[in-house]
Amino acid sequence: MQQKYVPRDIEREAQQYWDAAGAFRARETPGQPKYYCLSMFPYPSGKLHMGHVRNYTIGDVLTRYHRMKGRNVLQPMGWDAFGLPAENAAMANGVPPAKWTHENIAYMKRQLQSLGFAIDWSRELATCQPDYYRWNQWLFLRMLEKGLVYKKTGIVNWDPVDKTVLANEQVIDGRGWRTGAVVEKREIPMYYMAITRYAEALLAALESLSGWPERVKTMQANWIGKSYGVRFAFPYELDGKKEKLWVFTTRADTIMGVTFAALAAEHPLAARAARDNSKLAAFIEECKRGSVMEADLATIEKKGMPTGLSITHPLTGQPVPVWVGNYVLMAYGEGAVMGVPGHDQRDFEFATQYGIPIRSVIKPRDKDLELPLKQAYVEYGVCVNSGKYNGLDYQQAVDAIAADLKAKGLGEKQVLWRLRDWGISRQRYWGCPIPIIHCDGCGDVPVPDHDLPVVLPEDCVPDGTGNPLAKRTDFVNTTCPKCGKPARRETDTMDTFVDSSWYYLRFACPDSARSMVDERVAYWLPVDQYIGGIEHAILHLLYSRFWTKVMRDLELVDIDEPFANLLTQGMVLNEIYFRRADGGRTTYFNPAEVDVKLDDAGNRSALVKADGAPVEFGGIGTMSKSKNNGVDPQELIDHYGADIARFFMMFTSPPEDTLVWSDAGVEGAARFLRRLWTYAVRFERGGGPAIAAQPSKAARFEIHSVLKQANYDIGKHQFNTVASAAMKILNALDRLLGVSDEIAKEGLSILLRLLAPIAPHIAHHLGRELKFGEDVRAAPWPEHDPAALIEDEIELVVQVNGKKRGDVRVPRGADSKAIETIVLADPAVQKHVSGQAIKKVVVVPG
RNA sequence: GCCGGGAUGGCGGAAUUGGUAGACGCACGGGACUCAAAAUCCCGCGGUGGCAACACCAUGAGAGUUCGAUUCUCUCUCCCGGCACCA
């Protein structure tokens, strides 16, 4: 055995061994419990970042652990290969996105392999492959047949930098999620998936997801946004026609307090009123411009303008003035609201500003409101000043009012959802073509199944001026499948979230040529453990749940939910160092370029290595280019090897917490594995000098106690303490070596198996060198020996008046009476009870 | 504002689900080895007082339940994440 631990050598050797053995090939084995462990597949951006390494290490630990526990494990890997960065890179370098993507995939695959992940590469897929995305197109057509896909012209979010449409989910605070550019509104014809038809199902099923983090479920529930209320109409006459203005409210009990109605600037009635009112038209234009800035919307002043129109209160018959208000959203509800200043704070502010009457129609059950109101009273209460509804509570009033409105044909109870249908058309080249042909005679014609896939030409180089597909006449020009006359292909491609909405199903049967999925899905799905970043809590996870339900209803799969358990790993952070020049420009220094000194009290002083001058500490933040605080995983792997990188990742923080990068921490992980190696060398030579020999019983007790705890921890996915258990066992062995080869061997064997999921290469290598077995990967997971935990004597801690006053050793199985006698004889205890009567004695058994 | 999650040494974090708070590691201090350094090994390391034995204080703050609370209950403060003029 080598004297020195050289990770590079043993890691290459172990990887070759696994490779030759086909060790990670997953086969459907009916009868054997399966474990499908999936990490969110990466976008092939160029090279792995630290977040990937963490994500995939967590997945690999679980994969290897469950393999050792006897499960039939599948851990696949693929590539989320369509997307904008490929086009941006193409514009910068003149390389076709396809070439760029494939090169990145090749490089990143080598990186993943060098980390020793137990991935079944025979199932590898990339979403840019025609035999993958043809099924996007196929399911799109099925959904089209079912009316789950439809075409609609609507107001969409337009990202002026990427020149593309964004889904609502891709707009964050009024800005594009990728570019950060302020989003504009445009009208564009596009295809939608009717996810709202599944709103109820998606919301209801959240309850069944007991293996999901609470906060992810909450985020999804908020996003779906179910509210119960009443949709009703104000009748009015305009241009000699009887019309209705519809609104939605969750507070129908306040309807008798309506003193105005307000329209969104985009509301058709607002446009009608502005026709002969130039001041109003100007105001509407101003609102439309302003309303793009959603981030500011929350803070801007309530503004409005009367339309001059009047509508009729549906219950009282009184006239109600109609305003346009900058705080009314066209996209939610009806784009118009009833104004109840007495009981809605926004309406209150609006009414106060414009001198609109404020009516109080709700009061607390046990007292009267102080009038005039200083702010809206928004709590539930009982109706007053409300005619026949006086005295009713919230629910009674809503029921009665809804019934009366229904009787008049002017409204009824309605459930309203925040969730909107999913617009999937993208005016981009590098994505899955939408399988539609536009024919002047026949309209929009679906591509027949036998013509799928519609293959994306791979040699385009986008130049930033719109979609290059539109310029490819060989792609665009085709014939109509219906009439055979010349026709044009749709050049929009699908949102890349479509690609990732079902890849986890395809991994079960990546070679299925005749169908989207086959019977192997029934064996592997649902995914037993899904692992990925919290940033996908809404978009990707909601779309995937939606697709699963659609495919279930098309009888393609028989599961309701795709992911039984979800682990959202924390982000990887690093320190930030910077200097601010006189001009105010900030220069960031990578922490690797900075010498940091900490004194006893933890005070930090930092100098740039290059010039020896001080830098400012900017706190801890996510690794990013802009803060220049990233660490390249490749450097870590090159310098320390995969095991040390993996061990550091697992040891430093629990998987769901943020992980702060630390060079010293990596060094600590390296130190441990080197110590383990050194110990193994000594063990192989036949034990070392017997130092402070403990009885073997105590040694086994120590090892098996640690093991028991480690098993409890790994069940909670608390891998940091599992790693520390490995360290504790090594510490114990180090102290005990020479006591008995039998126990040293048992301890070392446990240690290597405990370590195998985290640092598989060294565990594999040492296991073979020490002849513990052919392959630690296939060894049984260590379980503690209960017999080892039975002691002849146990230590008891003694408290007097709630304070620890000593400890005593008593024989195992001593009864309370005997224990009491021993404890009271203890001098330390005596000191604290002397001369006083003992009121109560509590003995905790064991 | 609403919803969710947090707060433990100089730092990352642990505490067998109410029973010795600070495991394991990092940093730091002291020592051994060395011509020297690195590596390695040994010792110390929450705070205050004390030569020491030991005592007191201490898990964001305050109360409560309990023989006993980091853990359970209530109130509050702060931090992180999500949602939000959502009618």
Side-chain angles (χ1 to χ4, degrees):
Chain A
M1 187 170 164
Q2 286 276 336
Q3 277 295 305
K4 208 177 157 214
Y5 172 43
V6 185
R8 184 195 306 270
D9 296 345
I10 67 153
E11 288 176 7
R12 193 177 44 229
E13 196 186 300
Q15 286 163 18
Q16 280 165 0
Y17 174 92
W18 294 326
D19 214 33
F24 310 131
R25 194 69 181 267
R27 290 185 179 77
E28 296 73 30
T29 314
Q32 191 187 355
K34 60 92 185 178
Y35 185 80
Y36 181 1
C37 184
L38 182 68
S39 293
M40 290 181 185
F41 65 168
Y43 177 78
S45 55
K47 52 187 186 179
L48 295 182
H49 55 68
M50 239 8 128
H52 289 130
V53 176
R54 190 177 191 198
N55 194 156
Y56 302 140
T57 302
I58 293 167
D60 203 49
V61 169
L62 286 163
T63 295
R64 289 174 178 273
Y65 166 66
H66 285 283
R67 169 76 169 80
M68 292 173 76
K69 290 281 272 187
R71 307 277 284 272
N72 185 29
V73 171
L74 166 61
Q75 181 175 234
M77 183 55 70
W79 308 94
D80 188 13
F82 275 137
L84 281 174
E87 294 189 41
N88 296 336
M91 283 184 253
N93 310 318
V95 183
K99 185 165 185 282
W100 183 84
T101 302
H102 288 126
E103 284 170 5
N104 288 348
I105 287 174
Y107 182 78
M108 290 169 76
K109 182 175 178 182
R110 279 202 305 280
Q111 288 191 300
L112 289 174
Q113 287 170 325
S114 75
L115 281 159
F117 295 137
I119 290 166
D120 180 357
W121 285 105
S122 76
R123 295 172 187 256
E124 180 181 8
L125 60 80
T127 57
C128 63
Q129 293 161 340
D131 63 357
Y132 180 83
Y133 66 70
R134 76 172 291 174
W135 301 109
N136 287 1
Q137 297 170 343
W138 183 83
L139 198 78
F140 174 92
L141 296 173
R142 298 293 83 75
M143 289 168 77
L144 191 66
E145 288 161 6
K146 292 252 172 194
L148 284 169
V149 162
Y150 61 91
K151 193 181 185 185
K152 181 179 86 170
T153 302
I155 302 165
V156 293
N157 305 300
W158 179 258
D159 186 317
V161 172
D162 276 345
K163 298 188 173 58
T164 191
V165 171
L166 299 172
N168 289 319
E169 289 88 331
Q170 293 168 330
V171 179
I172 297 153
D173 293 338
R175 290 168 183 272
W177 73 305
R178 206 189 278 280
T179 62
V182 173
V183 170
E184 299 168 4
K185 310 234 163 177
R186 285 212 181 175
E187 285 203 25
I188 266 181
M190 56 189 293
Y191 288 92
Y192 286 85
M193 289 191 175
I195 191 172
T196 52
R197 281 214 233 153
Y198 284 81
E200 186 76 67
L202 288 166
L203 182 67
L206 285 175
E207 272 180 47
S208 70
L209 296 175
S210 55
W212 280 41
E214 210 50 53
R215 67 169 174 152
V216 174
K217 290 193 279 186
T218 310
M219 281 160 69
Q220 292 215 350
N222 286 343
W223 191 263
I224 295 167
K226 184 178 192 177
S227 5
Y228 297 89
V230 174
R231 178 179 180 264
F232 71 94
F234 295 88
Y236 64 96
E237 261 191 58
L238 189 63
D239 305 330
K241 278 190 287 187
K242 285 193 189 312
E243 303 279 358
K244 288 172 184 169
L245 176 69
W246 288 94
V247 299
F248 174 83
T249 179
T250 53
R251 290 299 303 271
D253 59 320
T254 67
I255 199 167
M256 301 306 275
V258 168
T259 53
F260 69 99
L263 307 172
E266 298 88 351
H267 196 282
L269 187 58
R272 166 62 188 83
R275 213 162 63 191
D276 28 48
N277 183 339
S278 60
K279 265 179 80 180
L280 184 61
F283 176 70
I284 288 172
E285 273 316 304
E286 187 193 325
C287 286
K288 281 184 182 170
R289 267 202 312 281
S291 73
V292 173
M293 304 281 285
E294 279 184 40
D296 303 332
L297 219 61
T299 51
I300 60 169
E301 197 183 344
K302 304 268 174 300
K303 278 192 192 165
M305 190 172 280
T307 61
L309 301 174
S310 176
I311 55 181
T312 310
H313 192 289
L315 296 177
T316 65
Q318 296 290 311
V320 173
V322 180
W323 289 62
V324 173
N326 66 346
Y327 68 102
V328 183
L329 302 176
M330 190 61 213
Y332 185 76
E334 302 291 334
V337 296
M338 67 176 193
V340 185
H343 304 287
D344 181 287
Q345 187 57 28
R346 292 157 306 181
D347 296 344
F348 182 87
E349 289 169 26
F350 191 81
T352 307
Q353 179 147 357
Y354 294 106
I356 298 168
I358 297 170
R359 277 175 58 94
S360 173
V361 294
I362 303 288
K363 75 171 194 67
R365 185 165 287 284
D366 46 5
K367 58 176 182 190
D368 287 329
L369 287 178
E370 205 180 303
L371 297 175
L373 292 171
K374 290 191 186 62
Q375 56 179 10
Y377 177 73
V378 298
E379 311 293 316
Y380 288 166
V382 290
C383 293
V384 290
N385 304 324
S386 300
K388 63 186 273 206
Y389 308 112
N390 281 344
L392 298 184
D393 69 14
Y394 169 76
Q395 197 56 55
Q396 292 165 335
V398 169
D399 290 347
I401 287 166
D404 288 349
L405 287 167
K406 192 167 184 182
K408 294 178 177 229
L410 288 176
E412 61 186 321
K413 286 190 183 173
Q414 195 200 24
V415 171
L416 193 63
W417 302 87
R418 206 189 83 99
L419 185 68
R420 242 78 62 64
D421 278 346
W422 174 18
I424 59 149
S425 296
R426 294 291 179 275
Q427 294 65 50
R428 306 302 309 190
Y429 155 61
W430 190 234
C432 169
I434 292 176
I436 295 286
I437 291 168
H438 303 291
C439 170
D440 288 339
C442 310
D444 299 338
V445 182
V447 173
D449 284 0
H450 58 76
D451 286 341
L452 296 182
V454 176
V455 176
L456 184 75
E458 293 211 342
D459 52 355
C460 285
V461 183
D463 58 8
T465 61
N467 185 349
L469 264 191
K471 300 172 204 161
R472 285 288 296 248
T473 50
D474 60 332
F475 176 82
V476 174
N477 294 333
T478 184
T479 52
C480 171
K482 254 189 193 163
C483 67
K485 287 183 189 154
R488 288 162 290 107
R489 279 192 197 283
E490 170 67 54
T491 57
D492 279 2
T493 53
M494 296 185 196
D495 182 1
T496 57
F497 277 107
V498 173
D499 308 328
S500 55
S501 290
W502 70 284
Y503 75 107
Y504 48 89
L505 297 170
R506 188 70 183 178
F507 277 137
C509 49
D511 54 357
S512 172
R514 288 194 309 277
S515 56
M516 187 172 183
V517 291
D518 65 24
E519 71 285 349
R520 285 170 288 178
V521 163
Y523 178 79
W524 289 114
L525 273 288
V527 173
D528 294 278
Q529 183 67 60
Y530 199 32
I531 304 138
I534 186 72
E535 66 274 18
H536 292 112
I538 298 172
L539 320 180
H540 163 61
L541 289 169
L542 192 62
Y543 293 147
S544 295
R545 296 181 59 223
F546 165 60
W547 267 59
T548 297
K549 289 183 194 304
V550 170
M551 289 179 71
R552 175 201 62 194
D553 292 346
L554 289 166
E555 295 180 4
L556 295 164
V557 297
D558 58 4
I559 50 169
D560 295 326
E561 286 287 335
F563 312 120
N565 294 287
L566 175 68
L567 189 155
T568 49
Q569 105 261 10
M571 292 191 290
V572 183
L573 314 181
N574 200 358
E575 294 167 347
I576 298 167
Y577 292 97
F578 67 91
R579 277 186 199 145
R580 194 157 283 148
D582 291 341
R585 219 182 57 217
T586 306
T587 315
Y588 289 93
F589 292 85
N590 193 283
E593 305 164 22
V594 176
D595 260 331
V596 183
K597 282 261 179 295
L598 289 177
D599 66 15
D600 277 6
N603 298 311
R604 181 188 306 262
S605 58
L607 306 174
V608 173
K609 286 174 188 166
D611 58 17
V615 271
E616 282 187 64
F617 176 57
I620 308 275
T622 43
M623 286 189 177
S624 74
K625 273 189 188 142
S626 61
K627 297 283 192 296
N628 187 19
N629 66 339
V631 179
D632 184 354
Q634 197 55 49
E635 285 175 26
L636 178 66
I637 298 164
D638 290 345
H639 192 93
Y640 286 101
D643 282 341
I644 290 169
R646 295 168 58 124
F647 190 90
F648 165 73
M649 288 272 166
M650 293 302 99
F651 175 69
T652 302
S653 298
E656 313 219 71
D657 288 13
T658 55
L659 180 149
V660 181
W661 182 261
S662 154
D663 290 325
V666 178
E667 203 37 70
R671 202 171 295 152
F672 165 64
L673 292 184
R674 284 196 290 260
R675 271 184 64 212
L676 171 62
W677 186 276
T678 307
Y679 179 86
V681 169
R682 276 163 61 204
F683 175 83
E684 190 192 33
R685 265 201 236 124
I691 336 149
Q694 282 190 36
S696 44
K697 201 161 169 127
R700 285 198 85 228
F701 176 82
E702 193 168 341
I703 291 165
H704 285 270
S705 302
V706 171
L707 177 58
K708 185 182 179 188
Q709 181 64 39
N711 271 313
Y712 176 78
D713 293 344
I714 203 166
K716 293 193 294 181
H717 298 166
Q718 191 172 289
F719 306 127
N720 55 329
T721 50
V722 176
S724 86
M727 291 172 146
K728 284 178 190 175
I729 292 177
L730 181 63
N731 289 347
L733 291 173
D734 241 347
R735 264 184 286 122
L736 306 171
L737 186 72
V739 167
S740 147
D741 282 349
E742 241 356 84
I743 291 169
K745 182 176 178 180
E746 183 190 4
L748 193 50
S749 161
I750 288 171
L751 167 51
L752 291 182
R753 282 178 288 157
L754 207 54
L755 193 62
I758 299 173
H761 306 88
I762 191 172
H764 172 86
H765 185 88
L766 294 180
R768 283 165 66 90
E769 288 283 351
L770 301 177
K771 312 232 173 353
F772 285 176
E774 164 71 8
D775 190 349
V776 68
R777 185 187 64 91
W781 184 255
E783 303 289 350
H784 77 271
D785 174 6
L789 298 184
I790 298 170
E791 298 172 285
D792 297 332
E793 274 196 334
I794 57 173
E795 185 184 43
L796 289 181
V797 172
V798 186
Q799 295 182 345
V800 180
N801 288 337
K803 287 192 168 152
K804 186 195 167 190
R805 294 304 184 190
D807 37 44
V808 295
R809 297 195 70 85
V810 302
R812 165 168 59 92
D815 63 20
S816 301
K817 207 76 204 146
I819 290 172
E820 200 177 321
T821 311
I822 294 166
V823 165
L824 288 177
D826 188 80
V829 176
Q830 262 309 316
K831 190 175 140 194
H832 289 277
V833 295
S834 57
Q836 294 179 60
I838 292 169
K839 282 192 192 152
K840 188 173 176 185
V841 177
V842 180
V843 178
V844 183

